[in-house]
Every structure is written in C-alpha cells, then in structure tokens.
C-alpha cells in the first residue's frame, strides 16, 4: 500500500495553493475548515476563492507561480491548469523538501486529499488511492447518509462518560469490558435520538450492575460468505474477549473479531480434533467464569450437526449465562448459491437433513425412509461415504437416475457444483479433486440447477 492515512494537527500547517480555478477552489474549501494559513497564488481567482480572499480567509498573491512563493516548512498544492507549470512547482517544492500534492498526478504527489465526512470530533477520511474518485464519492455519500448527524452529540456524551469511568475504575480490562457493554446497550441510540437523560439512566444501570460474570455466545457463522452473517452475530462477534472457532469458519468472518480478542482454533477437521469436545465444553465455561465474554463460533448453524447442544448443556449445568445465535446452515446456503431449491411444488414437498458420517465404514441410516418420493435429501459430512450411501439408496429402491449434486465450498469464492445421478456419482468423485467441505443434495430438485444457477 502506498498511502498511509494519518491525522495531522492542522492549526499550524501552512498551505500554498498554486492555481485559482475549480480544482484549487475545492482544495481550499476543504483546507479552510482546518487551517487559516492558506496562501493562493494565481493571477485569476474563481469567484468563490475571491470571496474567501475578500473575507480575509485566504491570502491571495496575484501573480504567476514563481520559485520564491515556495518556502520551507509549507505544504504545496500544485493545481494550475498547466501540467508543465505544476511539474515546475514540484521541483521547487522538492528542493526545499516541502510535501506536495499535484492535481491529477498522484504518482508524483507526496500527499493526496481524501473525501471527508465531518462529524466533529469524528472525522472519516475515504480514499481509493486516487484510482477511482467516483467510487470514493459514492462511498462518501453512502456513509454520510447512513451516519447520524448527531454523532457529535454522541461523541461528547461518550467523552464525558469516559472521564467518569477512568476515575472510578482502575483495571484496564474491566474498563474495556464495561465499554463493550455500554456501547452495545441502548445508550448510543438514545443519545442519537436526543434522549440523553434516558441514556444516562441506562449507563448508570450498566455501571451499577457490573457483575463480573462472563457470558458465552454460541454463534452460527453461516457457510462462508460473510454477508450471510446475521446482524446479531456480527454484534456479538465484535464484543468477544475470547474466541473459540472451528475449521469451518471462514477467515473473512474471523476478521470481524475484535483485534484484541484472544483467538483459539479448536479444530474439527475430520480426524483432527485439535481439541477434544469435552475439553471445548469445559474451556468455554472456564473462560466465562473468569469474567470474560466468550464467543464460540461455529460454521453454519450451531444446532445443526454442530454439537452446539452439547456445548451449552455443560454451561447450563454450571450456571454460566449464554446466548445462542442461529446461522445459515450449509443446506440453505449451498442450495441457494447453487440454484437448487430444497422444496418445489413440482418436485419435493419435504426435505430431510441427514448426516453421512460413517461409523466403521458404513452409515447407519433409516434407508427405507430416505427413499420416500418427492423428498429432497441433504447429506452433511458425506463426501467419503457418498458412494456407500448412493449404493444403499439404490439397493433400497431409489431410481439409479435420481439427480444428485455435490456442492464444494458453498457460498465461498471457490464454490463448485457437480451434478450427476446416483449411479454415476462414484465416477464423478473419482475423476475430480473435490475437497471438503462438501454438501450433497439428492432428489429431483437438483434438475433445476441448470436453469436456476445464478452465481457467476
Ligand atoms: N453446523 C454446520 C454443519 C456442520 S457439519 C451447518 O449448519 O452448516 C459439517 C458439514 O457441513 C460438512 O462436512 C459439509 O457437509 C457441510 N458444510 C458446512 N459448510 C459447508 C460449505 N460451505 N459448503 C459445503 N458444505 C458445507
């Protein structure tokens, strides 16, 4: 990355702007909010620049650019409409080691101007490294519309609260935890709604009820695409002090965790139980008892083939508070992203989720029930057992040409969908390098994939 965003103290920074047209005017418009030491060098001034000059907000030097306009310790903006003149100014600036920004020439500039959203004291600067001003403007407008105009009030409220908390609580970790609780309470919204008295009451309550008990959040991370996280999942993920996550949780989702959170990988690749299940259950309880906010992050939905039930059973027994957040299960995510509706009036009136996990090389499944007509079967953890499963289904009477789909890494950028028939699926697996996680869908709905597949 070539551009380092830093915030500079602005009141004593001196700017010399060369040029008096629209570009110079836009730069001055930005700078004038931050510094009063602005000199504009140009024989002509845009009417708005002239107005600034008339009001004494900028110093106007009515001349063509000359070397002695540049002086050490200043910052230069070359915004004349002549590229050669701008280059000349850049040479003068370099000689005196003055940082320079050249209009339309980020390559030779030392700094560039971001788009700014100003909610003083909150400042958001957006840049696309000059690659796409249209994108920057678009993002600026989106964010600007989404951010309340009362953020300055919230900033003042939080800043006052910070002083109180600093003087009353010494322990840094305890303070951080309290802040997470405060910021996830109704306080911010109440302040933004202008109800500061109610917000104060909430803060008093949160501060008074600071039990040092931790809590466990059992959260479903969905099948991979971070946009499939629920709003609640994102909120709780951001709050956690300690995170225990599985192999199925995609790295893009882990990015949402607080950068200070303690991260623990607890495995769950097949035959690679990095941490045995009983130990995971106990670890969650132990960390919560230390007063931590613990996140147990699991792929898909924690209550669907996720052993989520076992993990909170122990918490319930040991009276550790917990919350469960559902996630989009692989069946939903993969079927949507593969264009295979799990039910359809013409093809399937029911859907059945089964685990294809093998015990001693065979799957112990209620075969007779699985071959029920007009039913979609979704098989979790089935890749190694899929040949065995399709043979059993055929042996119990399912038609050999029943459509079947394997969805590899569903909803993720590498998603791949293989379709075949029960009779042929063994060959498909043998002839392709298909890797986990893979979900299997069996039934007539699979024939819709060709028509409804939408992911490019
Ligand atoms: N709790 C999870 C399932 C855990 S079992 C959920 O609700 O989705 C693990 C199995 O889920 C994998 O073996 C695979 O069959 C399936 N699976 C999970 N994520 C998947 C994905 N992104 N693509 C395909 N299959 C997936």
């Amino acid at each position: 990355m070539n551009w380092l965003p830093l915030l500079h103290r602005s009141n004593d920074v001196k700017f010399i702007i060369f040029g008096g047209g629209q570009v110079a005017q836009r730069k001055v418009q930005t700078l004038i909010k931050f510094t009063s030491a602005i000199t504009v060098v140009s024989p002509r001034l845009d009417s708005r620049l002239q107005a600034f000059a008339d009001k004494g907000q900028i110093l106007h030097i009515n001349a063509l650019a000359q070397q002695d306009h540049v002086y050490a310790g200043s910052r230069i903006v070359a915004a004349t409409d002549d590229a050669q003149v701008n280059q000349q100014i850049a040479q003068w600036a370099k000689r005196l080691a003055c940082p320079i920004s050249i209009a339309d020439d980020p390559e030779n500039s030392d700094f560039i101007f971001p788009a700014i959203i100003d909610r003083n004291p909150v400042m958001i600067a957006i840049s696309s490294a000059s690659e796409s001003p249209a994108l920057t403007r678009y993002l600026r407008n989106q964010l600007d519309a989404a951010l309340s105009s009362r953020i300055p009030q919230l900033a003042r409220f939080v800043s006052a609260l910070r002083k109180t908390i600093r003087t009353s609580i010494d322990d840094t970790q305890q303070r951080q935890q309290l802040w997470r609780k405060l910021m996830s309470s109704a306080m911010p919204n109440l302040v933004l709604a202008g109800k500061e008295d109610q917000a104060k009451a909430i803060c008093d309550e949160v501060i008074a009820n600071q039990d040092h008990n931790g809590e466990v959040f059992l959260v479903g991370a969905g099948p991979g695409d971070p946009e499939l996280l629920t709003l609640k999942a994102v909120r709780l993920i951001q709050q956690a002090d300690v995170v225990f996550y599985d192999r199925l949780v995609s790295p893009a989702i882990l990015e949402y965790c607080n950068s200070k959170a303690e991260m623990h990988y607890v495995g769950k690749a097949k035959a690679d139980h990095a941490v045995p299940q009983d130990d995971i259950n106990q670890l969650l309880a132990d960390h919560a008892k230390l007063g931590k906010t613990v996140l147990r992050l699991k792929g898909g939905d924690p209550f669907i083939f996720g052993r989520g039930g076992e993990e909170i059973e122990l918490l319930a027994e040991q009276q550790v508070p917990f919350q469960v957040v559902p996630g989009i299960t692989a069946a939903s995510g993969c079927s949507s992203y593969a264009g295979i509706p799990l039910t359809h009036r013409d093809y399937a009136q029911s859907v059945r989720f089964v685990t294809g996990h093998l015990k001693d090389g065979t799957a112990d499944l209620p075969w007779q029930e699985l071959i029920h007509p007009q039913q979609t079967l979704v098989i979790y953890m089935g890749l190694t057992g899929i040949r065995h499963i399709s043979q059993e289904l055929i042996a119990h009477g399912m038609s050999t040409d029943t459509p079947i789909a394997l969805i590899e890494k569903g909803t993720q950028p590498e998603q791949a969908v293989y379709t075949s028939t029960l009779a042929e699926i063994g060959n498909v697996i043998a002839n392709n390098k298909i890797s986990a996680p893979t979900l299997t869908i069996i039934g007539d709905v699979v024939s819709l994939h060709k028509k409804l597949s939408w992911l490019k």
Side-chain angles (χ1 to χ4, degrees):
M1 280 206 238
N2 291 326
W3 299 103
L4 167 69
L6 288 176
L7 299 179
H8 287 259
R9 182 169 300 285
S10 62
N11 29 9
D12 48 2
V13 186
K14 297 178 177 58
F15 276 92
I16 304 166
I17 320 290
F18 289 92
Q22 248 182 35
V23 181
Q25 186 269 325
R26 277 205 300 273
K27 309 291 183 205
V28 170
Q29 188 101 38
T30 304
L31 292 173
I32 215 153
K33 287 193 192 151
F34 298 92
T35 175
S36 51
I38 304 173
T39 303
V40 176
V41 181
S42 172
R44 270 184 314 274
L45 282 191
D46 167 285
S47 60
R48 276 167 296 182
L49 283 174
Q50 188 61 57
F52 288 138
D54 293 344
K55 281 193 247 154
Q57 289 176 290
I58 58 173
L59 178 71
H60 177 210
I61 298 180
N62 191 344
L64 287 166
Q66 282 160 31
Q67 182 159 6
D68 58 6
H69 291 137
V70 178
Y71 58 90
S74 58
R75 252 157 254 234
I76 312 296
V77 178
T80 75
D81 51 11
D82 185 330
Q84 266 179 343
V85 173
N86 288 344
Q87 287 309 320
Q88 177 63 69
I89 296 168
Q91 280 175 18
W92 297 333
K94 291 230 154 76
R95 239 171 264 162
L96 292 175
C98 295
I100 184 163
S101 179
I102 309 172
D104 288 331
D105 189 2
E107 285 293 308
N108 292 305
S109 294
D110 299 312
F111 63 94
I112 51 178
F113 286 77
I116 292 175
I117 298 174
D118 178 5
R119 298 281 195 281
N120 190 28
V122 175
M123 191 75 61
I124 301 176
I126 306 164
S127 154
S128 59
S130 289
E131 304 240 333
S132 173
L135 171 66
T136 313
R137 265 197 303 278
Y138 170 78
L139 289 174
R140 203 207 87 88
N141 293 342
Q142 293 264 309
L143 286 168
D144 196 30
L147 286 172
S148 162
S149 59
R150 293 182 56 90
I151 285 181
Q153 280 85 335
L154 180 58
R156 275 198 294 278
F157 185 95
V158 169
S159 162
L161 190 60
R162 183 161 176 239
K163 289 196 189 100
T164 322
I165 291 177
R166 264 214 177 140
T167 47
S168 57
I169 303 175
D170 280 339
D171 184 72
T172 336
Q173 239 199 341
Q174 199 184 333
R175 276 206 303 260
Q176 280 174 3
Q177 228 167 36
L178 179 61
W179 273 113
R180 275 195 286 270
K181 281 191 189 150
L182 287 166
M183 295 313 284
S184 58
S185 73
M187 177 270 280
N189 276 331
L190 286 169
V191 179
L192 292 177
K195 299 176 182 168
E196 298 209 2
D197 288 345
Q198 287 181 40
K200 280 205 183 82
I202 296 250
C203 291
D204 291 345
E205 199 182 305
V206 173
I207 294 170
N209 290 334
Q210 263 189 88
D211 43 21
H212 297 288
N213 280 345
E215 188 175 5
V216 177
F217 304 143
L218 175 61
V219 173
D225 181 350
E227 291 201 73
L228 295 178
L229 285 169
T230 62
L231 295 175
K232 191 166 187 177
V234 173
R235 186 163 59 76
L236 298 189
I237 287 172
Q238 288 169 342
Q239 278 179 41
D241 302 312
V242 193
V243 180
F244 293 93
Y245 64 99
D246 284 353
R247 185 183 58 109
L248 279 177
V249 176
S250 73
I253 285 173
L254 294 176
E255 294 273 316
Y256 285 85
C257 295
N258 188 318
S259 59
K260 293 198 180 123
E262 200 181 297
M263 306 294 291
H264 297 277
Y265 171 66
V266 287
K268 283 281 182 74
K270 195 158 54 64
D272 151 36
H273 282 239
V275 180
Q277 186 66 51
D278 287 347
D279 293 1
I280 297 176
N281 304 352
Q282 195 58 56
L283 277 170
L284 298 178
D286 290 348
H287 279 79
K289 285 179 195 165
L290 291 174
K292 308 234 163 143
T293 303
V294 182
L295 174 70
R296 176 66 175 114
L297 196 55
K298 298 179 79 83
D301 182 281
F303 280 2
I304 295 185
F305 304 128
R307 304 186 74 168
E310 295 166 46
E311 296 181 5
I312 54 171
E313 231 170 273
L314 188 85
L315 300 176
E317 280 161 23
Q318 303 191 356
Q319 283 158 4
V320 174
F322 59 85
Q323 300 182 41
V324 184
V325 182
I328 291 192
T329 188
S332 291
C334 295
S335 65
S336 295
Y337 279 48
I340 302 175
L342 292 179
T343 67
H344 187 290
R345 278 198 304 168
D346 300 334
Y347 302 96
Q349 275 70 53
S350 68
V351 52
R352 192 153 176 154
F353 296 174
V354 286
T355 165
H357 206 58
L358 300 184
K359 270 193 195 136
D360 314 322
T362 56
D364 193 12
L365 291 169
W367 302 111
Q368 214 55 51
E369 292 171 27
L370 300 190
I371 59 163
H372 197 74
Q374 304 250 309
Q375 168 175 262
T376 305
L377 294 182
V378 179
I379 301 171
Y380 285 71
M381 301 181 271
L383 191 60
T384 43
I386 206 67
R387 249 181 279 221
H388 168 75
I389 289 172
S390 35
Q391 281 159 11
E392 287 285 349
L393 290 173
I394 292 170
H396 285 82
M398 195 179 264
S399 159
T400 51
D401 57 10
T402 306
I404 175 168
L406 300 181
I407 300 148
E408 178 188 17
K409 300 198 171 73
T411 83
Q412 297 170 20
E414 309 86 3
Q415 171 176 303
V417 181
Y418 303 86
T419 55
S420 181
T421 61
L422 270 194
E424 288 298 321
I425 194 65
N427 292 336
V428 172
I429 295 173
N431 296 332
N432 291 280
K433 271 211 179 107
I434 307 177
S435 52
T438 306
L439 189 87
T440 307
I441 302 179
I442 301 175
D444 293 335
V445 287
V446 170
S447 61
L448 290 163
H449 165 70
K450 242 193 186 142
K451 191 168 163 195
L452 301 184
S453 158
W454 54 270
L455 194 71
K456 298 289 172 266

